[in-house]
Amino acid sequence: MANMTPNAFCKYFKKVTRKTFMETIIEYRLNYAIQQLVQTDKPISEISYESGFGDVSHFYKMFKAKMNLSPLNYRKRFMRNLAGDKKLSA
């Protein structure tokens, strides 16, 4: 489609974005997972698979590396902050 070999595309992509193609994909998947964590009550394993991670433990590792929290703790903190904001506006 881009008239490049996969290797040439990856080199070009990194030159332009300063991220590898896989780093970009993982970031996109994690952003989707974050959206699902705060907008749904789906189990974390389901969110993991829907986000494109084939292994829940890999999802946890990538999530924690980006957010410095596990997905479960991220959800709990978000909900706690949301509840606190509702109390302040009431």
Side-chain angles (χ1 to χ4, degrees), residues 19-51:
K19 294 180 191 176
T20 67
F21 182 67
M22 282 311 299
E23 287 171 338
T24 303
I25 294 296
I26 290 170
E27 186 175 301
Y28 179 82
R29 289 175 178 175
L30 289 172
N31 286 337
Y32 177 79
I34 290 168
Q35 181 184 36
Q36 293 299 299
L37 284 168
V38 301
Q39 293 179 353
T40 72
D41 59 353
K42 293 177 185 176
I44 292 171
S45 59
E46 185 178 338
I47 291 171
S48 167
Y49 292 120
E50 286 181 357
S51 300

Side-chain angles (χ1 to χ4, degrees), residues 11-24:
K11 285 182 179 181
Y12 175 76
F13 190 89
K14 184 166 184 170
K15 181 180 175 185
V16 171
T17 65
R18 297 185 182 176
K19 294 180 191 176
T20 67
F21 182 67
M22 282 311 299
E23 287 171 338
T24 303

Side-chain angles (χ1 to χ4, degrees), residues 4-14:
M4 294 181 183
T5 65
N7 195 29
F9 172 78
C10 287
K11 285 182 179 181
Y12 175 76
F13 190 89
K14 184 166 184 170

